[in-house]
């Protein structure tokens, strides 16, 4: 069976136990599927991801956005997340990696990929303050149904 390649996007910290656990977790999954050694991991730092030609990501079967923020380049992490989402590629984010998946999706869906935004939780609702074209909107997302409502516009 051909090898699969997963790009792990994050700033590798050798003493970080969550980083140390990624390779054994993938090896365990391979063994459970009868594919010992079937998956190759390639760590790509967030600064490298920021400047990497997108075509270089094509060789990976999927992407794991690693824990361990703050990243050296948030833009690099978000760039790979967007690539994976738009190319319909498998994508996993753990801990800070998952938070960045939410940020990238919110930027694209709620802000349209431009402008500034700030995320938070207020009263159990995800709240986004988005700044576009010189005006600020506070948007709340209901956790029960995912519906958005503009709370205020400044």
């Amino acid at each position: 069976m051909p090898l699969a390649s997963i790009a792990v996007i994050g700033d590798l910290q050798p003493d970080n136990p969550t980083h140390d656990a990624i390779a054994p977790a993938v090896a365990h999954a391979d063994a459970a599927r009868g594919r010992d050694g079937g998956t190759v991991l390639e760590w790509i730092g967030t600064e490298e991801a920021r400047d990497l030609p997108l075509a270089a990501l094509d060789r990976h079967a999927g992407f794991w956005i690693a824990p361990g923020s703050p990243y050296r380049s948030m833009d690099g992490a978000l760039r790979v997340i967007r690539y994976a989402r738009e190319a319909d590629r498998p994508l996993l984010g753990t801990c800070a990696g998952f938070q960045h998946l939410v940020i990238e999706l919110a930027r694209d869906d709620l802000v349209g990929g431009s402008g500034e935004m700030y995320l938070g939780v207020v009263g159990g609702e995800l709240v986004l303050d988005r700044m576009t074209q010189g005006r600020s909107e506070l948007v709340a997302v209901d956790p029960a149904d995912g519906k958005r409502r503009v709370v205020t516009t400044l």
Side-chain angles (χ1 to χ4, degrees), residues 48-139:
E48 180 184 353
R50 180 191 59 218
D51 302 323
L52 196 65
L54 290 176
L57 298 173
D58 289 341
R59 72 177 180 269
H60 299 291
F63 302 89
W64 185 327
I65 311 303
S69 69
Y71 295 132
R72 289 187 192 115
S73 173
M74 181 175 176
D75 289 339
L78 296 177
R79 185 170 181 257
V80 173
I81 293 166
R82 182 175 190 149
Y83 167 84
R85 181 177 55 78
E86 290 180 346
D88 199 25
R89 303 296 281 281
L91 177 64
L92 170 69
T94 51
C95 198
F98 181 77
Q99 294 169 1
H100 283 74
L101 267 69
V102 171
I103 290 168
E104 195 285 326
L105 185 60
R107 276 188 176 178
D108 183 71
D109 184 42
L110 298 174
V111 184
S114 63
E116 295 181 35
M117 64 164 222
Y118 305 92
L119 289 173
V121 176
V122 176
E125 289 185 321
L126 175 66
V127 175
L128 169 79
D129 181 9
R130 64 182 178 183
M131 181 71 167
T132 56
Q133 298 176 347
R135 72 173 222 228
S136 180
E137 289 183 334
L138 192 61
V139 178

